[in-house]
Amino acid sequence: YPDNDSSDHPSIDVTFPKLFMDADLSFNAWGALPLAGGHQQYVEVDYSVYLTRDIGEYWNVVAGYVYYDYPNASRSTDTNDPWATVTLKKIPCLPVDISSFATVYYEFPAVSGAEDPGIYYTWGFATDVHLPDVKIFQKDQALTLKVANWGTDGVGGRKPSIYATEFGISTEYSFGKITISPSVHYVLNEEE
C-alpha cells in the first residue's frame, strides 16, 4: 500500500487429494486487508480453484483459475486469471535442495469495457531449512525460504517489466487433516 503500509493476508484452502486423474483438487479464499486506515478501497478477496499434480520425482504442475474481487471499489476493477505453475522440486547438481518455479497468469476484466487483458508472471527459488527437534516444532518440520520476482507485459497500467521482488518465510503445523501455514512476506515494489 502507499506509504509502505502493510496488510494482513488471511487464506484458507480446502483440498481433496487425488480426486481427479491423480491430481489434488483445491479451493482457496484469500484476502488482502490493510492494517492502516485510508486504504479501504484496496481491500481484495480472491477465490480460486486449482488442480495440483506431481509428474515424476522432480516436477509439479498446478493449473487453476482465480477471481480477484475488490469489494470496496467499482466492479470494473475485478479481474479473472486462468494460471499455471511449473515447479522443479530439486535443481540437480546443487549441494543443497533448492526448487525453482515459474507461474503465468492471463488476466482479463470481469466486465467488458474495463482494462485490456494481459499477462502477469512470477519466477523464483525456494529452499527448506529443517528446524531443530524442540518442543515448539513438530517432527521433521521445516522453514521454507523463498524469493520471487513479479513481472507483467504491461497489463493493469504497469509498464512491461519486473515490478516487484518478494521475500518469504513460512512453515507448516499439521493437526490431523488440518494444516496451519504461518508466513511472513516482504515485497520490494520496484515501480515509482
Side-chain angles (χ1 to χ4, degrees):
Y1 295 118
D3 303 322
N4 287 321
D5 287 340
S6 57
S7 63
D8 249 341
H9 295 268
S11 178
I12 187 165
D13 285 270
V14 176
T15 299
F16 300 94
K18 311 296 181 202
L19 187 67
F20 178 72
M21 295 176 54
D22 207 29
D24 297 347
L25 174 65
S26 299
F27 298 91
N28 170 268
W30 177 92
L33 310 173
L35 294 176
H39 306 300
Q40 284 69 27
Q41 73 272 24
Y42 300 117
V43 168
E44 177 182 345
V45 181
D46 303 341
Y47 308 97
S48 302
V49 59
Y50 56 97
L51 288 169
T52 304
R53 184 162 191 236
D54 286 331
I55 299 176
E57 183 179 349
Y58 291 102
W59 296 96
N60 178 272
V61 177
V62 183
Y65 165 82
V66 60
Y67 183 87
Y68 297 93
D69 182 16
Y70 299 91
N72 297 335
S74 162
R75 186 155 187 273
S76 65
T77 59
D78 293 357
T79 58
N80 301 275
D81 285 25
W83 57 275
T85 298
V86 175
T87 301
L88 175 59
K89 295 190 281 187
K90 181 179 188 271
I91 299 174
C93 306
L94 291 179
V96 294
D97 290 347
I98 296 177
S99 64
S100 177
F101 57 89
T103 303
V104 175
Y105 305 82
Y106 178 71
E107 182 167 285
F108 59 96
V111 295
S112 61
E115 69 181 47
D116 291 333
I119 294 175
Y120 284 100
Y121 56 88
T122 182
W123 57 273
F125 302 93
T127 189
D128 287 341
V129 176
H130 294 281
L131 296 171
D133 189 15
V134 295
K135 200 170 203 165
I136 62 169
F137 302 127
Q138 294 180 331
K139 183 174 172 38
D140 299 324
Q141 188 172 353
L143 191 66
T144 300
L145 308 174
K146 170 182 139 181
V147 62
N149 291 295
W150 291 82
T152 178
D153 69 347
V155 69
R158 290 186 161 99
K159 58 185 176 184
S161 66
I162 291 177
Y163 63 87
T165 300
E166 171 191 0
F167 300 92
I169 299 173
S170 63
T171 192
E172 292 184 346
Y173 288 92
S174 295
F175 306 97
K177 293 185 177 185
I178 296 176
T179 301
I180 297 173
S181 305
S183 65
V184 175
H185 299 266
Y186 184 78
V187 178
L188 294 172
N189 191 339
E190 297 169 15
E191 294 182 319
E192 295 181 22

mmCIF file of all heavy atoms in Angstrom, residues 106-147:
data_model
loop_
_atom_site.group_PDB
_atom_site.id
_atom_site.type_symbol
_atom_site.label_atom_id
_atom_site.label_comp_id
_atom_site.label_asym_id
_atom_site.label_seq_id
_atom_site.Cartn_x
_atom_site.Cartn_y
_atom_site.Cartn_z
ATOM 1 N N TYR A 106 -2.961 -15.200 -17.082
ATOM 2 C CA TYR A 106 -3.567 -14.413 -18.153
ATOM 3 C C TYR A 106 -4.739 -13.674 -17.540
ATOM 4 O O TYR A 106 -5.742 -14.274 -17.145
ATOM 5 C CB TYR A 106 -4.037 -15.289 -19.305
ATOM 6 C CG TYR A 106 -4.710 -14.485 -20.386
ATOM 7 C CD1 TYR A 106 -3.960 -13.648 -21.204
ATOM 8 C CD2 TYR A 106 -6.083 -14.522 -20.552
ATOM 9 C CE1 TYR A 106 -4.575 -12.878 -22.179
ATOM 10 C CE2 TYR A 106 -6.706 -13.761 -21.521
ATOM 11 C CZ TYR A 106 -5.943 -12.939 -22.334
ATOM 12 O OH TYR A 106 -6.555 -12.165 -23.291
ATOM 13 N N GLU A 107 -4.612 -12.354 -17.428
ATOM 14 C CA GLU A 107 -5.637 -11.559 -16.743
ATOM 15 C C GLU A 107 -6.559 -10.886 -17.747
ATOM 16 O O GLU A 107 -6.103 -10.292 -18.713
ATOM 17 C CB GLU A 107 -4.970 -10.506 -15.869
ATOM 18 C CG GLU A 107 -5.984 -9.684 -15.082
ATOM 19 C CD GLU A 107 -5.328 -8.875 -13.993
ATOM 20 O OE1 GLU A 107 -4.948 -9.477 -12.979
ATOM 21 O OE2 GLU A 107 -5.191 -7.663 -14.172
ATOM 22 N N PHE A 108 -7.875 -11.001 -17.469
ATOM 23 C CA PHE A 108 -8.854 -10.274 -18.274
ATOM 24 C C PHE A 108 -9.939 -9.731 -17.348
ATOM 25 O O PHE A 108 -10.182 -10.281 -16.273
ATOM 26 C CB PHE A 108 -9.438 -11.155 -19.394
ATOM 27 C CG PHE A 108 -10.127 -12.404 -18.933
ATOM 28 C CD1 PHE A 108 -11.504 -12.432 -18.768
ATOM 29 C CD2 PHE A 108 -9.406 -13.560 -18.675
ATOM 30 C CE1 PHE A 108 -12.148 -13.581 -18.345
ATOM 31 C CE2 PHE A 108 -10.046 -14.725 -18.260
ATOM 32 C CZ PHE A 108 -11.413 -14.731 -18.097
ATOM 33 N N PRO A 109 -10.565 -8.623 -17.726
ATOM 34 C CA PRO A 109 -11.518 -7.957 -16.828
ATOM 35 C C PRO A 109 -12.781 -8.777 -16.597
ATOM 36 O O PRO A 109 -13.190 -9.571 -17.438
ATOM 37 C CB PRO A 109 -11.842 -6.646 -17.554
ATOM 38 C CG PRO A 109 -11.500 -6.895 -18.971
ATOM 39 C CD PRO A 109 -10.402 -7.918 -18.993
ATOM 40 N N ALA A 110 -13.407 -8.555 -15.427
ATOM 41 C CA ALA A 110 -14.658 -9.236 -15.081
ATOM 42 C C ALA A 110 -15.846 -8.649 -15.835
ATOM 43 O O ALA A 110 -16.845 -9.324 -16.034
ATOM 44 C CB ALA A 110 -14.897 -9.160 -13.577
ATOM 45 N N VAL A 111 -15.741 -7.396 -16.237
ATOM 46 C CA VAL A 111 -16.809 -6.752 -17.011
ATOM 47 C C VAL A 111 -16.202 -6.179 -18.277
ATOM 48 O O VAL A 111 -15.054 -5.739 -18.292
ATOM 49 C CB VAL A 111 -17.523 -5.637 -16.208
ATOM 50 C CG1 VAL A 111 -18.256 -6.213 -15.018
ATOM 51 C CG2 VAL A 111 -16.579 -4.548 -15.778
ATOM 52 N N SER A 112 -16.981 -6.172 -19.354
ATOM 53 C CA SER A 112 -16.464 -5.635 -20.606
ATOM 54 C C SER A 112 -16.278 -4.125 -20.491
ATOM 55 O O SER A 112 -16.976 -3.449 -19.740
ATOM 56 C CB SER A 112 -17.406 -5.968 -21.768
ATOM 57 O OG SER A 112 -18.665 -5.381 -21.539
ATOM 58 N N GLY A 113 -15.308 -3.623 -21.227
ATOM 59 C CA GLY A 113 -15.026 -2.194 -21.203
ATOM 60 C C GLY A 113 -14.004 -1.789 -20.164
ATOM 61 O O GLY A 113 -13.576 -0.638 -20.119
ATOM 62 N N ALA A 114 -13.592 -2.711 -19.296
ATOM 63 C CA ALA A 114 -12.549 -2.395 -18.314
ATOM 64 C C ALA A 114 -11.188 -2.539 -18.995
ATOM 65 O O ALA A 114 -11.098 -2.599 -20.214
ATOM 66 C CB ALA A 114 -12.683 -3.322 -17.113
ATOM 67 N N GLU A 115 -10.123 -2.629 -18.218
ATOM 68 C CA GLU A 115 -8.768 -2.653 -18.785
ATOM 69 C C GLU A 115 -8.565 -3.806 -19.764
ATOM 70 O O GLU A 115 -9.268 -4.796 -19.751
ATOM 71 C CB GLU A 115 -7.733 -2.734 -17.667
ATOM 72 C CG GLU A 115 -7.729 -4.056 -16.931
ATOM 73 C CD GLU A 115 -6.695 -4.092 -15.820
ATOM 74 O OE1 GLU A 115 -6.620 -3.134 -15.048
ATOM 75 O OE2 GLU A 115 -5.968 -5.078 -15.747
ATOM 76 N N ASP A 116 -7.574 -3.642 -20.636
ATOM 77 C CA ASP A 116 -7.245 -4.660 -21.620
ATOM 78 C C ASP A 116 -6.649 -5.886 -20.936
ATOM 79 O O ASP A 116 -6.006 -5.777 -19.894
ATOM 80 C CB ASP A 116 -6.231 -4.114 -22.631
ATOM 81 C CG ASP A 116 -6.836 -3.038 -23.528
ATOM 82 O OD1 ASP A 116 -8.059 -3.082 -23.738
ATOM 83 O OD2 ASP A 116 -6.081 -2.183 -24.003
ATOM 84 N N PRO A 117 -6.827 -7.069 -21.540
ATOM 85 C CA PRO A 117 -6.217 -8.272 -20.968
ATOM 86 C C PRO A 117 -4.700 -8.240 -21.124
ATOM 87 O O PRO A 117 -4.157 -7.477 -21.925
ATOM 88 C CB PRO A 117 -6.835 -9.403 -21.787
ATOM 89 C CG PRO A 117 -7.349 -8.790 -23.025
ATOM 90 C CD PRO A 117 -7.617 -7.345 -22.724
ATOM 91 N N GLY A 118 -4.032 -9.081 -20.343
ATOM 92 C CA GLY A 118 -2.581 -9.154 -20.437
ATOM 93 C C GLY A 118 -2.031 -10.254 -19.559
ATOM 94 O O GLY A 118 -2.770 -11.067 -19.009
ATOM 95 N N ILE A 119 -0.720 -10.260 -19.407
ATOM 96 C CA ILE A 119 -0.030 -11.339 -18.704
ATOM 97 C C ILE A 119 0.755 -10.805 -17.513
ATOM 98 O O ILE A 119 1.440 -9.785 -17.602
ATOM 99 C CB ILE A 119 0.920 -12.080 -19.667
ATOM 100 C CG1 ILE A 119 0.102 -12.801 -20.735
ATOM 101 C CG2 ILE A 119 1.827 -13.059 -18.922
ATOM 102 C CD1 ILE A 119 0.917 -13.462 -21.808
ATOM 103 N N TYR A 120 0.615 -11.521 -16.390
ATOM 104 C CA TYR A 120 1.497 -11.371 -15.238
ATOM 105 C C TYR A 120 2.315 -12.646 -15.141
ATOM 106 O O TYR A 120 1.856 -13.716 -15.547
ATOM 107 C CB TYR A 120 0.698 -11.219 -13.929
ATOM 108 C CG TYR A 120 0.083 -9.877 -13.719
ATOM 109 C CD1 TYR A 120 -1.258 -9.667 -13.994
ATOM 110 C CD2 TYR A 120 0.837 -8.823 -13.216
ATOM 111 C CE1 TYR A 120 -1.848 -8.422 -13.791
ATOM 112 C CE2 TYR A 120 0.261 -7.582 -13.004
ATOM 113 C CZ TYR A 120 -1.077 -7.389 -13.297
ATOM 114 O OH TYR A 120 -1.644 -6.163 -13.077
ATOM 115 N N TYR A 121 3.494 -12.565 -14.582
ATOM 116 C CA TYR A 121 4.297 -13.760 -14.385
ATOM 117 C C TYR A 121 5.127 -13.606 -13.116
ATOM 118 O O TYR A 121 5.365 -12.503 -12.636
ATOM 119 C CB TYR A 121 5.217 -14.031 -15.580
ATOM 120 C CG TYR A 121 6.134 -12.876 -15.921
ATOM 121 C CD1 TYR A 121 7.382 -12.748 -15.317
ATOM 122 C CD2 TYR A 121 5.746 -11.902 -16.835
ATOM 123 C CE1 TYR A 121 8.217 -11.686 -15.614
ATOM 124 C CE2 TYR A 121 6.578 -10.843 -17.143
ATOM 125 C CZ TYR A 121 7.809 -10.735 -16.535
ATOM 126 O OH TYR A 121 8.628 -9.678 -16.825
ATOM 127 N N THR A 122 5.507 -14.743 -12.576
ATOM 128 C CA THR A 122 6.408 -14.755 -11.435
ATOM 129 C C THR A 122 7.350 -15.940 -11.584
ATOM 130 O O THR A 122 6.991 -16.951 -12.178
ATOM 131 C CB THR A 122 5.659 -14.812 -10.094
ATOM 132 O OG1 THR A 122 6.583 -14.766 -9.016
ATOM 133 C CG2 THR A 122 4.817 -16.053 -9.963
ATOM 134 N N TRP A 123 8.545 -15.784 -11.089
ATOM 135 C CA TRP A 123 9.515 -16.874 -11.092
ATOM 136 C C TRP A 123 10.428 -16.697 -9.884
ATOM 137 O O TRP A 123 10.605 -15.587 -9.395
ATOM 138 C CB TRP A 123 10.339 -16.920 -12.386
ATOM 139 C CG TRP A 123 11.074 -15.643 -12.677
ATOM 140 C CD1 TRP A 123 10.599 -14.559 -13.352
ATOM 141 C CD2 TRP A 123 12.402 -15.297 -12.277
ATOM 142 N NE1 TRP A 123 11.543 -13.564 -13.399
ATOM 143 C CE2 TRP A 123 12.667 -14.000 -12.748
ATOM 144 C CE3 TRP A 123 13.395 -15.972 -11.569
ATOM 145 C CZ2 TRP A 123 13.874 -13.357 -12.528
ATOM 146 C CZ3 TRP A 123 14.602 -15.319 -11.355
ATOM 147 C CH2 TRP A 123 14.825 -14.034 -11.837
ATOM 148 N N GLY A 124 10.952 -17.804 -9.400
ATOM 149 C CA GLY A 124 11.803 -17.683 -8.230
ATOM 150 C C GLY A 124 12.353 -19.006 -7.757
ATOM 151 O O GLY A 124 12.293 -20.023 -8.452
ATOM 152 N N PHE A 125 12.849 -18.967 -6.530
ATOM 153 C CA PHE A 125 13.517 -20.116 -5.924
ATOM 154 C C PHE A 125 13.069 -20.257 -4.481
ATOM 155 O O PHE A 125 12.696 -19.286 -3.838
ATOM 156 C CB PHE A 125 15.039 -19.922 -5.958
ATOM 157 C CG PHE A 125 15.580 -19.727 -7.346
ATOM 158 C CD1 PHE A 125 15.747 -18.446 -7.864
ATOM 159 C CD2 PHE A 125 15.893 -20.821 -8.135
ATOM 160 C CE1 PHE A 125 16.224 -18.258 -9.149
ATOM 161 C CE2 PHE A 125 16.373 -20.646 -9.418
ATOM 162 C CZ PHE A 125 16.546 -19.363 -9.934
ATOM 163 N N ALA A 126 13.146 -21.495 -3.967
ATOM 164 C CA ALA A 126 12.807 -21.754 -2.571
ATOM 165 C C ALA A 126 13.681 -22.884 -2.048
ATOM 166 O O ALA A 126 14.181 -23.709 -2.818
ATOM 167 C CB ALA A 126 11.332 -22.132 -2.437
ATOM 168 N N THR A 127 13.875 -22.886 -0.740
ATOM 169 C CA THR A 127 14.595 -23.976 -0.089
ATOM 170 C C THR A 127 14.016 -24.180 1.302
ATOM 171 O O THR A 127 13.426 -23.256 1.875
ATOM 172 C CB THR A 127 16.108 -23.700 -0.015
ATOM 173 O OG1 THR A 127 16.790 -24.872 0.428
ATOM 174 C CG2 THR A 127 16.430 -22.544 0.912
ATOM 175 N N ASP A 128 14.164 -25.378 1.813
ATOM 176 C CA ASP A 128 13.698 -25.701 3.155
ATOM 177 C C ASP A 128 14.883 -25.819 4.102
ATOM 178 O O ASP A 128 15.901 -26.417 3.761
ATOM 179 C CB ASP A 128 12.929 -27.025 3.172
ATOM 180 C CG ASP A 128 11.567 -26.913 2.531
ATOM 181 O OD1 ASP A 128 11.058 -25.787 2.402
ATOM 182 O OD2 ASP A 128 11.002 -27.957 2.156
ATOM 183 N N VAL A 129 14.732 -25.241 5.281
ATOM 184 C CA VAL A 129 15.711 -25.374 6.357
ATOM 185 C C VAL A 129 15.024 -26.185 7.449
ATOM 186 O O VAL A 129 13.991 -25.771 7.976
ATOM 187 C CB VAL A 129 16.140 -23.984 6.900
ATOM 188 C CG1 VAL A 129 17.074 -24.146 8.081
ATOM 189 C CG2 VAL A 129 16.746 -23.140 5.799
ATOM 190 N N HIS A 130 15.568 -27.350 7.766
ATOM 191 C CA HIS A 130 14.943 -28.216 8.769
ATOM 192 C C HIS A 130 15.133 -27.624 10.162
ATOM 193 O O HIS A 130 16.218 -27.188 10.525
ATOM 194 C CB HIS A 130 15.491 -29.634 8.657
ATOM 195 C CG HIS A 130 15.090 -30.257 7.361
ATOM 196 N ND1 HIS A 130 13.836 -30.779 7.145
ATOM 197 C CD2 HIS A 130 15.755 -30.398 6.197
ATOM 198 C CE1 HIS A 130 13.752 -31.211 5.909
ATOM 199 N NE2 HIS A 130 14.906 -30.993 5.311
ATOM 200 N N LEU A 131 14.053 -27.602 10.925
ATOM 201 C CA LEU A 131 14.058 -26.992 12.253
ATOM 202 C C LEU A 131 14.505 -27.998 13.311
ATOM 203 O O LEU A 131 14.296 -29.204 13.156
ATOM 204 C CB LEU A 131 12.669 -26.447 12.569
ATOM 205 C CG LEU A 131 12.224 -25.310 11.638
ATOM 206 C CD1 LEU A 131 10.766 -24.968 11.861
ATOM 207 C CD2 LEU A 131 13.085 -24.083 11.840
ATOM 208 N N PRO A 132 15.105 -27.509 14.385
ATOM 209 C CA PRO A 132 15.600 -28.420 15.427
ATOM 210 C C PRO A 132 14.450 -29.147 16.130
ATOM 211 O O PRO A 132 13.312 -28.681 16.144
ATOM 212 C CB PRO A 132 16.346 -27.499 16.391
ATOM 213 C CG PRO A 132 15.802 -26.143 16.136
ATOM 214 C CD PRO A 132 15.363 -26.106 14.702
ATOM 215 N N ASP A 133 14.780 -30.261 16.708
ATOM 216 C CA ASP A 133 13.799 -31.081 17.415
ATOM 217 C C ASP A 133 13.602 -30.522 18.821
ATOM 218 O O ASP A 133 14.160 -31.009 19.797
ATOM 219 C CB ASP A 133 14.290 -32.534 17.467
ATOM 220 C CG ASP A 133 13.219 -33.478 17.983
ATOM 221 O OD1 ASP A 133 12.047 -33.066 18.027
ATOM 222 O OD2 ASP A 133 13.565 -34.614 18.341
ATOM 223 N N VAL A 134 12.804 -29.436 18.904
ATOM 224 C CA VAL A 134 12.478 -28.813 20.185
ATOM 225 C C VAL A 134 10.958 -28.742 20.313
ATOM 226 O O VAL A 134 10.228 -28.903 19.331
ATOM 227 C CB VAL A 134 13.108 -27.402 20.337
ATOM 228 C CG1 VAL A 134 14.626 -27.484 20.358
ATOM 229 C CG2 VAL A 134 12.638 -26.472 19.249
ATOM 230 N N LYS A 135 10.484 -28.455 21.488
ATOM 231 C CA LYS A 135 9.058 -28.557 21.818
ATOM 232 C C LYS A 135 8.137 -27.705 20.932
ATOM 233 O O LYS A 135 7.011 -28.110 20.636
ATOM 234 C CB LYS A 135 8.864 -28.184 23.285
ATOM 235 C CG LYS A 135 7.600 -28.673 23.873
ATOM 236 C CD LYS A 135 7.583 -28.471 25.368
ATOM 237 C CE LYS A 135 6.601 -29.455 25.960
ATOM 238 N NZ LYS A 135 6.724 -29.611 27.371
ATOM 239 N N ILE A 136 8.569 -26.523 20.488
ATOM 240 C CA ILE A 136 7.667 -25.652 19.720
ATOM 241 C C ILE A 136 7.518 -26.090 18.262
ATOM 242 O O ILE A 136 6.661 -25.589 17.553
ATOM 243 C CB ILE A 136 8.111 -24.177 19.784
ATOM 244 C CG1 ILE A 136 9.497 -23.986 19.178
ATOM 245 C CG2 ILE A 136 8.032 -23.648 21.193
ATOM 246 C CD1 ILE A 136 9.881 -22.541 18.982
ATOM 247 N N PHE A 137 8.370 -27.017 17.808
ATOM 248 C CA PHE A 137 8.291 -27.503 16.428
ATOM 249 C C PHE A 137 7.817 -28.942 16.395
ATOM 250 O O PHE A 137 8.003 -29.694 17.335
ATOM 251 C CB PHE A 137 9.657 -27.400 15.735
ATOM 252 C CG PHE A 137 10.214 -26.012 15.705
ATOM 253 C CD1 PHE A 137 11.491 -25.753 16.180
ATOM 254 C CD2 PHE A 137 9.472 -24.954 15.208
ATOM 255 C CE1 PHE A 137 12.017 -24.472 16.160
ATOM 256 C CE2 PHE A 137 9.984 -23.673 15.187
ATOM 257 C CZ PHE A 137 11.253 -23.424 15.661
ATOM 258 N N GLN A 138 7.219 -29.319 15.273
ATOM 259 C CA GLN A 138 6.787 -30.702 15.078
ATOM 260 C C GLN A 138 7.924 -31.520 14.465
ATOM 261 O O GLN A 138 8.866 -30.963 13.892
ATOM 262 C CB GLN A 138 5.551 -30.739 14.177
ATOM 263 C CG GLN A 138 4.350 -30.083 14.824
ATOM 264 C CD GLN A 138 3.120 -30.119 13.935
ATOM 265 O OE1 GLN A 138 3.200 -30.125 12.718
ATOM 266 N NE2 GLN A 138 1.946 -30.124 14.564
ATOM 267 N N LYS A 139 7.813 -32.820 14.547
ATOM 268 C CA LYS A 139 8.832 -33.709 13.991
ATOM 269 C C LYS A 139 8.989 -33.459 12.491
ATOM 270 O O LYS A 139 8.010 -33.346 11.768
ATOM 271 C CB LYS A 139 8.435 -35.164 14.245
ATOM 272 C CG LYS A 139 9.449 -36.181 13.787
ATOM 273 C CD LYS A 139 9.009 -37.559 14.225
ATOM 274 C CE LYS A 139 9.826 -38.685 13.689
ATOM 275 N NZ LYS A 139 11.206 -38.555 13.556
ATOM 276 N N ASP A 140 10.227 -33.306 12.048
ATOM 277 C CA ASP A 140 10.574 -33.075 10.634
ATOM 278 C C ASP A 140 10.006 -31.774 10.066
ATOM 279 O O ASP A 140 9.830 -31.642 8.858
ATOM 280 C CB ASP A 140 10.138 -34.262 9.763
ATOM 281 C CG ASP A 140 10.820 -35.551 10.165
ATOM 282 O OD1 ASP A 140 12.004 -35.503 10.556
ATOM 283 O OD2 ASP A 140 10.169 -36.609 10.090
ATOM 284 N N GLN A 141 9.713 -30.798 10.907
ATOM 285 C CA GLN A 141 9.194 -29.514 10.435
ATOM 286 C C GLN A 141 10.319 -28.711 9.786
ATOM 287 O O GLN A 141 11.480 -28.789 10.189
ATOM 288 C CB GLN A 141 8.600 -28.725 11.599
ATOM 289 C CG GLN A 141 7.878 -27.467 11.181
ATOM 290 C CD GLN A 141 7.149 -26.822 12.342
ATOM 291 O OE1 GLN A 141 7.063 -27.371 13.435
ATOM 292 N NE2 GLN A 141 6.605 -25.642 12.107
ATOM 293 N N ALA A 142 9.967 -27.934 8.761
ATOM 294 C CA ALA A 142 10.952 -27.126 8.046
ATOM 295 C C ALA A 142 10.476 -25.689 7.931
ATOM 296 O O ALA A 142 9.283 -25.397 8.015
ATOM 297 C CB ALA A 142 11.203 -27.699 6.654
ATOM 298 N N LEU A 143 11.425 -24.811 7.734
ATOM 299 C CA LEU A 143 11.166 -23.404 7.460
ATOM 300 C C LEU A 143 11.471 -23.202 5.976
ATOM 301 O O LEU A 143 12.575 -23.520 5.523
ATOM 302 C CB LEU A 143 12.092 -22.540 8.324
ATOM 303 C CG LEU A 143 11.824 -21.052 8.383
ATOM 304 C CD1 LEU A 143 10.490 -20.788 9.065
ATOM 305 C CD2 LEU A 143 12.942 -20.369 9.156
ATOM 306 N N THR A 144 10.507 -22.739 5.209
ATOM 307 C CA THR A 144 10.703 -22.523 3.778
ATOM 308 C C THR A 144 11.107 -21.072 3.541
ATOM 309 O O THR A 144 10.422 -20.148 3.987
ATOM 310 C CB THR A 144 9.427 -22.854 2.982
ATOM 311 O OG1 THR A 144 9.095 -24.227 3.212
ATOM 312 C CG2 THR A 144 9.627 -22.623 1.495
ATOM 313 N N LEU A 145 12.215 -20.878 2.836
ATOM 314 C CA LEU A 145 12.704 -19.562 2.443
ATOM 315 C C LEU A 145 12.468 -19.410 0.948
ATOM 316 O O LEU A 145 12.801 -20.305 0.166
ATOM 317 C CB LEU A 145 14.190 -19.430 2.755
ATOM 318 C CG LEU A 145 14.613 -19.783 4.184
ATOM 319 C CD1 LEU A 145 16.127 -19.737 4.308
ATOM 320 C CD2 LEU A 145 13.953 -18.848 5.171
ATOM 321 N N LYS A 146 11.887 -18.269 0.539
ATOM 322 C CA LYS A 146 11.508 -18.092 -0.855
ATOM 323 C C LYS A 146 11.867 -16.691 -1.329
ATOM 324 O O LYS A 146 11.754 -15.722 -0.575
ATOM 325 C CB LYS A 146 10.000 -18.307 -0.983
ATOM 326 C CG LYS A 146 9.397 -17.943 -2.318
ATOM 327 C CD LYS A 146 7.884 -18.160 -2.276
ATOM 328 C CE LYS A 146 7.155 -17.064 -2.966
ATOM 329 N NZ LYS A 146 5.723 -17.177 -2.947
ATOM 330 N N VAL A 147 12.288 -16.584 -2.568
ATOM 331 C CA VAL A 147 12.444 -15.289 -3.228
ATOM 332 C C VAL A 147 11.785 -15.409 -4.605
ATOM 333 O O VAL A 147 11.942 -16.426 -5.291
ATOM 334 C CB VAL A 147 13.925 -14.838 -3.337
ATOM 335 C CG1 VAL A 147 14.739 -15.803 -4.174
ATOM 336 C CG2 VAL A 147 14.028 -13.423 -3.876
#
